[in-house]
Amino acid sequence: VRKLSEFSYDPFSPEAMADPYPAYRVLREEHPFYRLPEYGAWAVSRFADVHEILSDQEGRYTTTEKNVPLGRWELVVGNGGTPPPPQLEPLPMFSFLASPEHEQIRSLAVPPLRPRSAASLEPFVRELVGARLDELLGQGEFDLTRDYGAIVSAGVMCRVWGLPPERAARVRDLINLAGGRPDGEQSMDGAEASAELIGMLAEVVAERRAAGADGELPGVDRLIKAEVDGRPLSDEEVATQVFAIVFGGTETVPKVVAHGLMELWRHPDQLAAVRAGDLAENSRVAFEEMLRFCAPAQWFMRTATADTVVSGQEIARGDRLILLLASANRDEREFEAPERFRWDRPIERHLAFGHGGLFCIGVHVARLEGRILVEEFLRRAPAYEIDLARAERPASSFQLGYAAMPVAVG
Ligand code: HEM
């Protein structure tokens, strides 16, 4: 029998970075608010609590310390009980700002990602997916994450943000480096990769500015013309906003799709059921369970701006909240048999895209790409075998997803 005192959780421990799911089970059951004193943080693991914190509309929590996981050493340094004010010069990614600048930049950048704009991308996405499959199916074996989904997602981001289409593979590689957290910290390679991509995007911004930024490339042009905090943004600052979106838009969908297609392969009855009905509709339904079950981001962060209480737990001003979305999406209080993949489970809500003010800005593009990637693959690959032994899910304190998923198609 495991004694309570033997349990410990640290998002940066090798065990948690390789497979945190067993710990999440214990956290949800026994320590829904788990204190991590060395990081001044609470790990929050239940769906209802994460949902409540993300629903806050009174500014009780901020992301001025960042929403993406800080590295262990940044957490150890602490904030002295006071979250920092937003940095306004140079302007960081909009997710790290506060009201009203966060909402201002978000609404300037969002037009190409709105439902109607996303829907208008469908013919382009189908063509891109079709062209990828023409090439890959001929090879017989390929990698579902790297060669299929990631090239499509990066290709869509190139189109939306004005990069030449032939840059898609480089964008994919840079994003993978930038998102890796092999030792719980962003590596030098990761920082260099971010800088290279921001540089690439800044060239587009400079070209648009020189051409008058007349609205042809809506997200970029509106950011160029805007005044934030009483001044226009530099090329690099605009590029940094676009980088945040290109990052979100390239990192996640491919890993969800590759993992999801692996789950279907692992459950042949489910694969047969998806294939049996309306494939387009079934792919849409299955992608939603793939989001719940396979979304790689483990946690996002908030910092309390005031003393508060959540589900009876006192939280002090300055406390960090490690919001374990991947645990919340497996909470048995919210989902029946949550640790089982079931392609057609009824899902009223999940937290794969977050919730509230930072709800994923790319949700419509993500759902569009996801369902088309699943549908077209299943339509054109009558049978497939995953080589699970060669699949790679690199340890990470942030994005724990399948970076490699070899498949053979028949
Ligand atoms: C399956 C795919 C995706 C998943 C699971 C996902 C997940 C998330 C989550 C959980 C958040 C909230 C973070 C927080 O609350 O701190 C978020 C925000 C965000 N996502 Fe996504 N995302 C996906 C696809 C995309 C795509 C396609 C784009 C861009 C086209 C994108 C861009 C962003 C951006 C820029 C934010 C920050 C929004 C803000 O600060 O207001 N994501 N995403």
Side-chain angles (χ1 to χ4, degrees):
V1 178
R2 186 180 46 80
K3 286 202 210 101
L4 239 181
S5 58
E6 281 170 15
F7 176 76
S8 73
Y9 168 73
D10 179 337
F12 302 102
S13 70
E15 301 79 47
M17 293 214 300
D19 180 13
Y21 298 104
Y24 292 163
R25 228 169 284 147
V26 181
L27 288 172
R28 285 193 302 272
E29 200 49 42
E30 297 173 11
H31 313 277
F33 287 80
Y34 182 83
R35 185 71 183 155
L36 289 152
E38 64 278 37
Y39 308 140
W42 300 95
V44 187
S45 49
R46 287 187 184 168
F47 189 101
D49 296 332
V50 174
H51 190 269
E52 182 179 332
I53 291 163
L54 291 176
S55 302
D56 167 63
Q57 294 192 339
E58 264 126 65
R60 275 186 226 120
Y61 312 100
T62 181
T63 52
T64 56
E65 282 199 295
K66 292 195 182 169
N67 68 321
V68 290
L70 287 177
R72 176 192 253 147
W73 300 117
E74 293 170 288
L75 283 170
V76 166
V77 169
N79 59 28
T82 307
Q87 177 189 313
L88 291 173
E89 200 163 356
L91 207 69
M93 296 196 234
F94 63 104
S95 308
F96 308 159
L97 298 172
S99 275
E101 289 83 8
H102 170 257
E103 292 80 2
Q104 187 196 356
I105 302 220
R106 192 176 152 114
S107 65
L108 287 166
V110 77
L113 308 174
R114 285 216 178 96
R116 214 181 302 160
S117 306
S120 73
L121 285 170
E122 174 148 358
F124 171 75
V125 176
R126 278 208 195 268
E127 206 181 297
L128 197 56
V129 168
R132 278 321 284 153
L133 286 173
D134 288 345
E135 190 180 325
L136 296 170
L137 294 176
Q139 293 172 12
E141 276 183 36
F142 58 94
D143 193 287
L144 273 173
T145 306
R146 294 177 47 78
D147 303 333
Y148 184 50
I151 290 291
V152 170
S153 292
V156 172
M157 286 297 101
C158 287
R159 174 166 173 117
V160 170
W161 300 105
L163 288 170
E166 60 277 9
R167 294 272 178 99
R170 185 69 187 150
V171 168
R172 170 200 64 191
D173 294 343
L174 293 173
I175 296 290
N176 279 333
L177 280 169
R181 295 281 191 284
D183 311 307
E185 309 285 335
Q186 194 184 48
S187 61
M188 274 311 282
D189 287 353
E192 277 168 22
S194 303
E196 183 178 331
L197 186 48
I198 290 173
M200 231 190 244
L201 291 164
E203 281 173 31
V204 175
V205 176
E207 280 163 25
R208 293 302 308 155
R209 202 188 289 277
D214 55 6
E216 223 171 279
L217 197 63
V220 172
D221 290 355
R222 283 160 52 106
L223 286 165
I224 290 173
K225 291 267 167 92
E227 281 207 354
V228 181
D229 194 34
R231 64 175 181 91
L233 302 183
S234 69
D235 291 354
E236 181 114 342
E237 287 176 315
V238 171
T240 300
Q241 310 314 314
V242 178
F243 169 81
I245 301 174
V246 172
F247 183 98
T250 308
E251 166 66 29
T252 307
V253 171
K255 290 175 179 160
V256 173
V257 168
H259 184 177
L261 288 171
M262 184 267 274
E263 292 296 339
L264 288 178
W265 165 80
R266 182 140 85 176
H267 299 96
D269 53 327
Q270 296 199 35
L271 179 56
V274 173
R275 287 189 189 281
D278 172 349
L279 188 57
E281 172 60 9
N282 288 356
S283 299
R284 185 189 65 75
V285 171
F287 185 63
E288 222 45 39
E289 171 69 342
M290 293 176 185
L291 286 164
R292 181 192 75 82
F293 196 77
C294 313
Q298 297 301 300
W299 51 281
F300 286 92
M301 210 182 83
R302 299 291 186 270
T303 308
T305 57
D307 293 350
T308 178
V309 179
V310 183
S311 288
Q313 176 62 57
E314 289 182 11
I315 312 277
R317 173 180 154 91
D319 281 355
R320 279 91 174 235
L321 296 159
I322 289 181
L323 303 176
L324 295 166
L325 299 187
S327 168
N329 278 334
R330 282 170 159 73
D331 188 345
E332 30 296 281
R333 290 153 203 80
E334 183 72 19
F335 304 100
E336 196 195 311
E339 307 215 49
R340 283 222 322 263
F341 179 89
R342 204 179 106 205
W343 76 275
D344 60 347
R345 77 162 60 236
I347 300 180
E348 268 172 41
R349 54 180 191 168
H350 61 64
L351 287 172
F353 290 120
H355 183 67
L358 272 77
F359 183 71
C360 180
I361 198 174
V363 57
H364 306 294
V365 172
R367 286 196 166 119
L368 174 82
E369 286 178 15
R371 75 175 157 79
I372 295 177
L373 283 162
V374 172
E375 177 193 338
E376 294 295 335
F377 177 80
L378 294 179
R379 189 187 310 287
R380 298 198 39 196
Y384 64 101
E385 287 291 325
I386 302 278
D387 186 349
L388 208 44
R390 286 200 298 126
E392 286 167 28
R393 193 175 70 166
S396 173
S397 58
F398 179 20
Q399 296 276 352
L400 190 59
Y402 283 94
M405 185 69 80
V407 66
V409 291

